[in-house]
Amino acid sequence: MQEDDDNTDELLENEDADMEVADSISIDVADTTIAESDDIQVTNRILAEDTQTIYHKVRIGETLLLIANRYNVSTKEIQEWNNIDSKKVSIGQRLKIMLPKKELERMVEARKEAEAQKEADLKLEAEIQKEEEEKRLAEEKKIAEERKVAEEKRIAEEKKRTEERRIAEEKEHREALKQAEARRLLDKNKNGTGTPRQKTITYVVKKGDTLSGIAKRYKGVKVNDIMKASNITSDKLSLGQKLTIPIK
């Protein structure tokens, strides 16, 4: 008998906070201390009888029918147990409920299962959120890597184009010097003297060129030298315009 009382005690400790266990028939009972909460005052005794008396504290939105359905009893039974005629209940009202001991145990077991399911659902939700967060971070990392690779590629291509332009300009400059030297030798042969005429090269204006920028490319050449040799009076240039550069 003591073993049955202890088992019932363990079940009641986990029951809803709006339920209070009350005294019943004082036949063959065992005193038991049970945890309390805001809405429950579990006191007194666990009976060796098949029926257990509990008290339900009415909450907001509850009706007599809702309470009856919760405990699998009729509204008429609740009215009889509490000696009331009306089916209206008030918030905070305490209602006596007479439950078979097995029904109470079933309710407590169902409560345990519900809590276990809730805990499992929360755990699953946390795992899903963790997976989604890891996926989001991985996607952000991937995008960042792709942007980094694209930027490095752009810089490399720009560097390559700059180098190609530099090489082309140097080649053009060497070719211009060769042409000037060839003309000098030709003039020398024609004149029969060793006194060469002024060496010049022809430069074709490109996008972004200025007279000062062109002059800086050739040692000792000034803007006025180019303007005089090219017979121009304005420093404004046109794309494709040919300039005569005196080489010193």
Side-chain angles (χ1 to χ4, degrees):
M1 184 67 69
Q2 181 64 43
E3 182 180 356
D4 292 339
D5 292 340
D6 292 340
N7 291 336
T8 306
D9 177 21
E10 180 182 354
L11 292 170
L12 289 172
E13 288 182 356
N14 295 294
E15 183 53 3
D16 288 342
D18 53 3
M19 218 187 281
E20 299 178 6
V21 179
D23 289 336
S24 185
I25 305 173
S26 56
I27 302 175
D28 190 14
V29 301
D31 290 340
T32 307
T33 301
I34 303 176
E36 295 186 0
S37 68
D38 293 339
D39 297 330
I40 182 169
Q41 292 180 351
V42 183
T43 58
N44 315 326
R45 316 169 193 281
I46 304 299
L47 302 177
E49 295 295 318
D50 290 337
T51 301
Q52 182 73 55
T53 299
I54 65 171
Y55 285 94
H56 177 89
K57 187 175 181 180
V58 180
R59 293 180 176 178
I60 297 175
E62 288 186 327
T63 63
L64 196 63
L65 179 60
L66 187 67
I67 296 169
N69 290 339
R70 177 177 182 179
Y71 296 106
N72 198 26
V73 298
S74 67
T75 56
K76 186 176 181 181
E77 286 176 317
I78 296 178
Q79 288 175 301
E80 290 176 355
W81 294 332
N82 293 274
N83 193 26
I84 56 176
D85 296 327
S86 175
K87 290 187 178 181
K88 293 183 179 181
V89 291
S90 304
I91 298 172
Q93 182 179 354
R94 294 171 70 251
L95 297 176
K96 181 191 294 184
I97 309 291
M98 303 289 291
L99 288 178
K101 191 173 181 180
K102 289 185 179 180
E103 177 65 15
L104 183 59
E105 292 175 353
R106 184 197 65 77
M107 290 177 63
V108 174
E109 188 63 29
R111 178 71 176 186
K112 284 183 177 180
E113 292 177 358
E115 289 294 334
Q117 184 61 49
K118 181 179 179 181
E119 184 178 352
D121 291 343
L122 289 175
K123 184 178 180 181
L124 178 61
E125 183 180 356
E127 291 176 352
I128 292 174
Q129 290 178 349
K130 182 180 178 182
E131 290 178 359
E132 290 178 348
E133 180 66 11
E134 290 176 348
K135 183 178 179 180
R136 183 185 66 80
L137 292 175
E139 186 66 22
E140 288 181 355
K141 184 178 180 181
K142 179 182 177 182
I143 293 173
E145 286 293 331
E146 290 176 348
R147 288 177 178 173
K148 180 181 177 182
V149 171
E151 180 64 13
E152 290 176 348
K153 182 178 180 181
R154 184 191 67 78
I155 293 173
E157 290 177 350
E158 180 64 26
K159 184 177 180 181
K160 180 181 178 182
R161 287 193 294 268
T162 301
E163 182 65 15
E164 289 175 347
R165 285 195 298 267
R166 185 188 65 80
I167 294 173
E169 289 174 355
E170 289 182 353
K171 182 179 180 181
E172 182 180 352
H173 181 60
R174 288 194 298 269
E175 288 296 328
L177 292 176
K178 287 181 180 179
Q179 293 176 11
E181 181 63 18
R183 283 196 297 269
R184 185 188 70 78
L185 294 175
L186 181 61
D187 290 341
K188 179 181 178 181
N189 292 332
K190 285 182 178 180
N191 295 335
T193 66
T195 304
R197 291 189 299 179
Q198 176 72 52
K199 292 187 292 184
T200 62
I201 62 172
T202 300
Y203 180 87
V204 180
V205 176
K206 301 180 181 61
K207 184 178 180 180
D209 278 341
T210 62
L211 277 176
S212 60
I214 297 170
K216 289 178 181 179
R217 298 181 186 180
Y218 303 95
K219 186 176 180 181
V221 177
K222 298 180 180 179
V223 173
N224 289 335
D225 296 335
I226 299 176
M227 294 179 68
K228 184 177 179 180
S230 302
N231 196 24
I232 59 176
T233 57
S234 174
D235 59 355
K236 293 183 179 180
L237 301 177
S238 303
L239 190 64
Q241 181 179 353
K242 293 182 179 181
L243 300 176
T244 302
I245 311 296
I247 304 300
K248 296 183 180 181

